[in-house]
Structures are given as structure tokens and as C-alpha cells.
């Protein structure tokens, strides 16, 4: 399946983007002065030859105040940077901005990127963008090329995204971060999980809500209908009748976490573990249905987050 992630949008606010902008500014050259401008500048220099300039008391006072203002601005800028350090905030993910940018900024403040080349930074941030992509879209921070895939993220797939991305961020830390950065970054991941868990409370996609509504309407009008529902309508009606208990969701979460441990420990190939994960999601979202056609319908709806997880977990193990 072709991934529909817009990496230009997903990577906005990261270190690589900042480096590109700084490099562009450093390489920018102002247009050459015209010969007339050069001539005029020479004439002015000749007129000022031998002229001694003195500053009035007012000018000296203005200059002193200007220096004070610049020092104050620098102090304010430093205070702003400290106040907006993701590692110091109560929960930086509650602030406006993408979750990717919050994580990347925290790594930057820890000095993780200092000795990495532009290519290494881009590779790292692409991985982080993949990991956080589902939660970013759920929170409305990004727009994607294939909106239909992620705007309709089911509540079950959204819960999978939270568990998978959190486990992947912890695996990223274990694999790439030096020991002295581990504790701070893992604390940031705790805040990521806390923020997104709250965001998921009561979440249901529009597609789920409409499926349930259509199923109710169909049940009331079934006997009066001359033409039966199409196959697509029948699948929607089946989905609208799915009822999943909290303990079933908790069981699926525990099963997913066991799969992520297997991935982290390298116990099984990514493809095999992802097959198990996909099966858990399909059983949960279908209400443990045995209907093969309905299971295919559920699978097609939830395939994007599975394929994306397969992509970033393959890079992490």
C-alpha cells in the first residue's frame, strides 16, 4: 500500500527544517549595486574625508538606551525559550503545535542533534514523523494527501495508534539515545501518552456514528423496503451494530503491548508480529465476527495505521 504521508507538512517545526532555513539565509546574496550607486557612495566618502563627527549628549543617551533595550530583548528571548522548553512544561503536548515538533524540539534542547549531519537529522525526523502521524491527525494538527484514510480513523484503530506510537517512541529512545538523555525523554513519552489518552476519551469517528445511525434506521424500515441494501450498505449496518465491552478493549491493549515487547526484544520478525497485531485489531473492531466479508470491510478501513506502524517498527528493530 502506498503511504499517503505528506512529509513536508509532517516535518514542519523540526530541526532539519530550521537548518534548511538558516542555510538559505546564510547563502543569500543581496543584488549587486548598480554602477550609479557605487559612484554615489564614492562621492560621499570623499566629502567625509577629514571630517570629524561628534555625538550630541542626546545621541549618546539614545545609543545607551538602545543597548539596554537590546539586552532586555535578549533576556526576554532567553526566558521565552526556557518557558517553552518541552522538558520543563507540565504537559507540552497540550500546547498548540504538532506532537512531532514537540518531540523534536525536546531532542534538540537535549543536544541530541548537535553532532548529526543534515541527512541524519532528516532520517531521524522522518522516523519521528511516521511514529506520531496518527495522533497528530487525530488531534487535527495536520492535513494529509489522502484525507479519507485518516479522517475516518476508527476508535479502535485510534487506540492502536496510541499504544503503537508510545511503544515505538520508547524503542526509539532505547535504540538511539545515550544513557544521560534516557530519563528525560521517557518522561516526555509519559506526557505524550497522558495527553493522547485524554484526547481519545469518548472518541468515535463520524463514520462510526453514521454507521450506527443508519443501522437503526434500517432496522426500523427493513420490512417496508422494496429493494434490499447493497453489499456496502449491509457492511455499514453490520458495523453499526458492533458492541465492544471495555474489558475487550483492555484485553486487546494488553495483547498489543505483548506484541510490541516481542518487537523490541527481537523475538519475531516484524511482518509476523504485525500480522498478529492486525488480527487483534480486526477482531476487536468487528466484535469478534466470523463473517469473512465483514472482516475484509473492517480490515480495509483500518489498514493505513497498520501499514504505517509496519514502516516505523521495521526501522526500529
Amino acid at each position: 500500500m502506498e503511504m499517503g504521508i505528506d512529509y513536508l507538512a509532517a516535518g514542519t517545526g523540526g530541526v532539519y527544517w530550521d537548518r534548511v532555513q538558516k542555510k538559505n539565509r546564510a547563502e543569500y546574496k543581496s543584488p549587486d549595486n548598480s554602477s550609479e550607486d557605487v559612484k554615489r557612495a564614492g562621492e560621499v566618502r570623499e566629502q567625509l574625508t577629514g571630517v570629524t563627527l561628534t555625538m550630541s549628549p542626546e545621541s549618546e543617551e539614545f545609543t545607551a538606551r538602545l543597548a539596554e533595550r537590546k539586552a532586555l530583548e535578549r533576556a526576554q528571548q532567553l526566558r521565552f525559550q526556557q518557558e517553552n522548553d518541552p522538558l520543563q512544561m507540565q504537559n507540552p503536548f497540550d500546547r498548540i503545535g504538532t506532537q512531532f515538533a514537540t518531540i523534536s524540539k525536546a531532542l534538540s534542547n537535549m543536544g541530541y542533534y548537535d553532532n548529526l549531519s543534515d541527512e541524519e537529522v532528516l532520517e531521524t525526523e522522518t522516523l519521528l514523523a511516521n511514529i506520531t502521524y496518527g495522533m497528530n491527525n487525530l488531534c487535527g494538527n495536520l492535513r494529509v494527501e489522502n484525507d479519507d484514510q485518516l479522517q475516518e480513523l476508527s476508535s479502535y484503530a485510534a487506540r492502536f495508534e496510541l499504544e503503537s506510537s508510545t511503544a515505538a517512541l520508547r524503542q526509539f529512545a532505547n535504540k538511539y539515545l545515550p544513557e544521560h538523555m534516557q530519563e528525560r525523554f521517557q518522561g516526555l513519552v509519559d506526557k505524550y501518552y497522558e495527553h493522547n489518552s485524554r484526547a481519545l476519551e469518548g472518541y468515535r469517528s463520524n463514520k462510526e456514528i453514521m454507521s450506527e445511525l443508519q443501522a437503526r434506521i434500517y432496522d426500523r424500515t427493513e420490512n417496508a423496503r422494496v429493494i434490499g441494501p447493497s453489499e456496502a450498505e449491509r457492511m455499514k449496518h453490520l458495523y453499526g451494530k458492533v458492541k465492544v465491552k471495555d474489558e475487550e478493549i483492555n484485553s486487546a491493549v494488553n495483547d498489543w503491548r505483548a506484541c510490541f515487547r516481542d518487537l523490541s526484544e527481537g523475538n519475531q520478525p516484524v511482518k509476523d508480529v504485525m500480522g498478529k497485531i492486525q488480527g487483534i485489531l480486526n477482531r476487536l473492531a468487528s466484535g469478534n465476527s466470523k463473517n469473512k466479508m465483514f472482516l475484509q470491510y473492517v480490515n480495509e478501513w483500518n489498514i493505513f495505521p497498520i501499514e504505517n506502524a509496519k514502516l516505523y517498527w521495521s526501522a526500529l528493530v
Side-chain angles (χ1 to χ4, degrees):
M1 175 181 178
E2 184 179 353
M3 302 302 294
I5 294 179
D6 180 356
Y7 289 104
L8 182 61
T12 300
V15 170
Y16 179 76
W17 181 251
D18 287 342
R19 285 191 182 185
V20 169
Q21 289 183 313
K22 288 178 181 179
K23 186 175 293 185
N24 288 341
R25 287 195 295 268
E27 294 176 352
Y28 174 77
K29 294 182 180 179
S30 59
D32 294 335
N33 294 323
S34 66
S35 56
E36 187 65 30
D37 291 336
V38 174
K39 180 180 178 182
R40 177 57 183 160
E43 291 175 352
V44 171
R45 282 196 298 271
E46 289 179 3
Q47 292 172 2
L48 292 176
T49 301
V51 176
T52 302
L53 299 177
T54 58
M55 296 182 65
S56 66
E58 292 80 6
S59 298
E60 291 178 350
E61 182 180 358
F62 174 80
T63 302
R65 288 181 178 176
L66 182 61
E68 291 175 4
R69 284 198 296 271
K70 287 184 176 180
L72 180 60
E73 288 174 359
R74 285 194 294 270
Q76 290 175 335
Q77 184 179 14
L78 179 60
R79 185 170 63 253
F80 176 81
Q81 291 173 345
Q82 292 173 341
E83 290 174 351
N84 287 275
D85 183 351
L87 298 170
Q88 304 301 323
M89 295 179 190
Q90 185 172 0
N91 196 321
F93 296 100
D94 292 340
R95 302 287 292 268
I96 295 175
T98 67
Q99 298 187 32
F100 155 78
T102 298
I103 292 171
S104 185
K105 183 176 182 179
L107 288 170
S108 178
N109 290 350
M110 285 190 285
Y112 175 71
Y113 294 118
D114 290 353
N115 297 319
L116 298 186
S117 67
D118 290 350
E119 291 74 16
E120 290 170 327
V121 170
L122 177 59
E123 182 179 354
T124 299
E125 292 197 324
T126 298
L127 176 58
L128 292 172
N130 278 339
I131 294 172
T132 58
Y133 197 70
M135 290 295 99
N136 269 331
N137 279 277
L138 189 60
C139 294
N141 289 318
L142 292 175
R143 291 295 177 265
V144 296
E145 294 175 2
N146 45 350
D147 287 342
D148 58 321
Q149 292 185 7
L150 281 173
Q151 282 185 349
E152 296 296 347
L153 195 67
S154 74
S155 56
Y156 310 108
R159 187 57 190 265
F160 160 74
E161 280 278 8
L162 172 61
E163 298 299 329
S164 181
S165 61
T166 301
L169 287 171
R170 297 198 190 284
Q171 175 66 8
F172 169 85
N174 292 333
K175 182 173 182 177
Y176 294 109
L177 298 190
E179 186 174 350
H180 69 277
M181 295 183 186
Q182 287 281 342
E183 183 177 354
R184 287 191 294 173
F185 189 82
Q186 296 290 5
L188 186 67
V189 178
D190 290 339
K191 294 176 181 178
Y192 171 88
Y193 189 86
E194 173 194 318
H195 168 85
N196 287 301
S197 293
R198 282 189 277 109
L200 287 183
E201 290 178 0
Y203 168 76
R204 293 174 72 219
S205 69
N206 290 331
K207 187 173 178 180
E208 287 172 295
I209 295 171
M210 287 303 299
S211 294
E212 184 175 341
L213 178 61
Q214 289 171 356
R216 290 177 181 174
I217 293 173
Y218 178 76
D219 285 345
R220 290 200 302 266
T221 62
E222 181 178 8
N223 294 331
R225 294 186 61 157
V226 177
I227 302 176
S230 66
E231 203 61 59
E233 288 176 321
R234 201 162 67 85
M235 294 302 102
K236 289 180 182 179
H237 298 160
L238 284 174
Y239 195 89
K241 296 181 179 182
V242 171
K243 302 296 180 185
V244 178
K245 297 178 181 178
D246 288 343
E247 52 263 34
E248 292 176 298
I249 296 176
N250 293 335
S251 177
V253 167
N254 289 332
D255 289 343
W256 282 329
R257 290 178 178 176
C259 289
F260 299 139
R261 284 194 295 272
D262 283 339
L263 285 172
S264 299
E265 296 169 2
N267 294 333
Q268 297 181 53
V270 173
K271 183 179 178 181
D272 293 348
V273 178
M274 279 298 158
K276 293 180 182 179
I277 287 172
Q278 188 171 7
I280 296 167
L281 176 56
N282 288 341
R283 287 192 296 274
L284 179 68
S286 70
N288 287 309
S289 174
K290 304 299 182 183
N291 185 320
K292 292 183 179 180
M293 189 169 293
F294 183 51
L295 286 170
Q296 180 63 27
Y297 172 81
V298 170
N299 182 70
E300 289 175 358
W301 184 1
N302 294 318
I303 191 63
F304 186 91
I306 293 292
E307 289 298 317
N308 188 41
K310 188 183 300 182
L311 183 66
Y312 60 72
W313 275 106
S314 294
L316 288 168
V317 297

